[in-house]
Amino acid sequence: MEKKSIAVLGATGSIGTQALEVIRAHPDRFTVYALTAGSNADLLIAQALEFRPSVVVIADPDKYKQVQTALAGTAINVLAGNEALEEVVQHTGVDTVLCALVGSVGLRSTLAAIEAGKTIALANKETLVVAGALVMDLAARKGARILPVDSEHSAIFQCLAGEQAQQVDKIYLTASGGPFRGKRRADLNAVTAEQALRHPNWVMGAKITIDSASLMNKGLEVIEAKWLFNLDVSQIDVVVHPQSIVHSLVQFKDGSIKAQLGLPDMKLPIQYALTYPDRVENAFPRFDFTDFSTLTFEPVDRVTFRNLELAYRALATAGNMPCILNAANEVVVAAFLKGETGFLAMSDVIEETLAAVTFMQQPTLADYESTDQQSRIIARELVTKSRKIYHIEK
Ligand code: NDP
Ligand code: MG
């Protein structure tokens, strides 16, 4: 069997490290061409010494020397800065690019990989939220396949196997409901980052964990699904399923529903994206019906968790609205993690930013990038204002 050569962008993160577990378990199938990190030099060095890629990239230029010194004497090429990512993903030695960066910083490298016709295993949902139209259009023109890593989208993708796109009536994305399921707005005023970081079912990076608590993650996933599966916003529904066993569902024109089930373990969708179209044996713990006698479903509360409502609205308006939503969200999540803004204030800032930034119907890449920057500036100003209000209220 010909081995697949993988570039792992964001190798030191939650998805990146789990992807390396999958790769480690199948040395007959995979080789690693590149590993990249933001600033975690120690872990990147350890990973490089184990997997012996051709290239490593450390985004933080201050860490370059450390990585370079540690890998001196190996054949590994060490690069720094995010521009290097765009170069690395286009190398002829790469078959599949796993995009596991967090945030809109992943957009350029994903576009570069698509430009070179690579297969993309996409975890970085923000890329599709920011510029879904652009990304999907380029992928179609370059014949680059985008395989979902996000568990809900992997589930939909699996349910659609062998089906015809025009026979899909709607999809249901499942949401665990996060740590604040069942809470009302009044209960959420004073919740802390520490509380929000305690996700009941999944262990993930900090940003997506806060997004899960605020349901912005589900909002981003609605937008991600629109682009991956070419759906209308009216065809995408969300249902709360606290056990996180049913990863998502597709309903067809005849009313029949298909679902994909499994334990909440990202290694499974990661592996499927990397081995597609093959299904490969593994040693992951398996779902057992005797452990889950009850699987429950409930409607989602878009009033308390207003971020989901805002995401639906941004998607319906389209243009650069989802890009504004994403940038404002990245700003408020970073601020919330530092205790600089309140949980409910996050939605206020996002809503005000959506109203303040100039709307563009058909943005270019440059327009998306300027929208992203402008939105961040406005959202930061609003956070500073909300901080004063937040401190008075506390
Ligand atoms: P993490 O925060 O755990 O990891 C992010 C990775 O990106 C790290 O390798 C980090 O490096 C790197 N990175 C961060 N900022 C930069 C930057 N400015 N430039 C270059 N590299 C950077 O995130 P997750 O793994 O949780 O999430 C990754 C993506 O996958 C997100 O888009 C998320 O929504 C999506 N996803 C994640 C799931 C999960 O279970 N974690 C589930 C479904 C989707 P360093 O370690 O050095 O900071
Ligand atoms: Mg998900």
Side-chain angles (χ1 to χ4, degrees), residues 114-372:
I114 294 173
E115 186 71 51
K118 305 298 181 189
T119 297
I120 314 291
L122 188 69
N124 179 225
K125 64 190 82 181
E126 293 91 346
T127 287
L128 285 179
V129 173
V130 169
L134 207 86
V135 170
M136 297 312 289
D137 179 58
L138 187 66
R141 282 193 286 119
K142 298 291 172 178
R145 176 132 223 182
I146 301 183
L147 299 166
V149 169
D150 213 347
S151 57
E152 295 78 0
H153 305 73
S154 177
I156 302 288
F157 182 61
Q158 293 179 58
C159 292
L160 289 176
E163 302 288 351
Q164 294 170 37
Q166 68 275 20
Q167 293 182 352
V168 171
D169 189 28
K170 67 192 301 183
I171 66 167
Y172 292 94
L173 300 176
T174 51
S176 70
F180 304 136
R181 180 173 66 91
K183 299 272 191 250
R184 294 297 155 131
R185 285 182 65 79
D187 307 323
L188 296 177
N189 211 15
V191 294
T192 61
E194 200 194 46
Q195 290 168 301
L197 284 169
R198 270 186 237 131
H199 196 280
N201 302 344
W202 298 94
V203 180
M204 309 177 285
K207 194 253 174 187
I208 183 175
T209 308
I210 300 301
D211 284 345
S212 298
S214 72
L215 286 205
M216 181 54 96
N217 183 50
K218 215 45 59 181
L220 302 180
E221 290 183 352
V222 167
I223 302 172
E224 182 186 14
K226 187 238 155 27
W227 295 113
L228 281 175
F229 307 114
N230 191 23
L231 298 167
D232 188 77
V233 57
S234 63
Q235 291 176 288
I236 311 170
D237 229 328
V238 173
V239 61
V240 173
H241 167 50
Q243 297 81 20
S244 298
I245 295 297
V246 176
H247 295 308
S248 279
L249 314 92
V250 178
Q251 182 157 48
F252 296 91
K253 296 270 186 231
D254 61 358
S256 178
I257 294 181
K258 276 165 91 174
Q260 187 263 341
L261 284 72
L263 289 177
D265 178 355
M266 285 307 296
K267 287 198 291 302
L268 195 52
I270 293 169
Q271 176 180 297
Y272 190 60
L274 294 182
T275 62
Y276 179 83
D278 293 346
R279 288 194 180 269
V280 176
E281 277 184 42
N282 56 49
F284 310 152
R286 290 192 170 195
F287 172 70
D288 180 342
F289 279 98
T290 57
D291 293 336
F292 293 88
S293 58
T294 319
L295 297 178
T296 60
F297 301 88
E298 52 194 71
V300 69
D301 176 359
R302 277 159 68 163
V303 175
T304 304
F305 298 96
R306 198 150 53 92
N307 279 352
L308 179 57
E309 180 62 33
L310 295 173
Y312 266 108
R313 271 195 241 158
L315 180 57
T317 317
N320 62 343
M321 282 303 217
C323 174
I324 304 169
L325 175 97
N326 179 72
N329 183 57
E330 288 191 34
V331 168
V332 293
V333 170
F336 179 68
L337 282 166
K338 286 192 242 157
E340 292 175 358
T341 193
F343 189 80
L344 297 176
M346 289 199 285
S347 310
D348 299 336
V349 170
I350 295 165
E351 187 165 22
E352 283 183 59
T353 311
L354 283 167
V357 178
T358 318
F359 176 67
M360 286 183 236
Q361 188 70 58
Q362 284 195 309
T364 61
L365 178 59
D367 293 333
Y368 282 123
E369 291 185 333
S370 68
T371 296
D372 183 83

